[in-house]
């Protein structure tokens, strides 16, 4: 995990976070309606992003490039 700017970052301790995750200032990874976020590999959350109870992944396949 890479934390670019420490200010205002909230990460729920029940979240599942993959490899090579990076996060910037004022981002929230939190629970919503008893659902905890699941974040896949190689995901970046940039300034002010909010992930509340959702699942996100990076579907980019390096073999295709």
């Amino acid at each position: 995990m890479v934390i670019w700017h420490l200010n205002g970052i909230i990460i729920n301790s029940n979240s599942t976070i993959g490899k090579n995750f990076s996060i910037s200032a004022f981002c929230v990874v939190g629970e919503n309606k008893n659902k905890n976020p699941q974040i896949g590999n190689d995901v970046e959350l940039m300034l002010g992003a909010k992930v509340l109870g959702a699942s996100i992944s990076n579907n980019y396949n390096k073999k295709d490039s």
Side-chain angles (χ1 to χ4, degrees):
M1 179 184 305
V2 175
I3 299 175
W4 294 106
H5 303 282
L6 192 56
N7 295 341
I9 294 175
I10 299 171
I11 301 176
N12 182 312
S13 63
N14 294 321
S15 301
T16 303
I17 298 174
K19 296 177 184 176
N20 302 319
F21 173 71
S22 63
I23 190 167
S24 191
F26 304 107
C27 291
V28 175
V29 178
E31 180 180 322
N32 185 24
K33 298 182 182 180
N34 295 323
K35 292 183 180 179
N36 294 303
Q38 296 179 331
I39 299 174
N41 296 330
D42 304 313
V43 172
E44 285 186 41
L45 293 184
M46 300 310 288
L47 189 65
K50 311 289 187 266
V51 179
L52 301 173
S55 295
I56 60 173
S57 67
N58 180 351
N59 292 327
Y60 175 73
N61 186 346
K62 292 180 181 177
K63 293 178 184 176
D64 293 339
S65 58

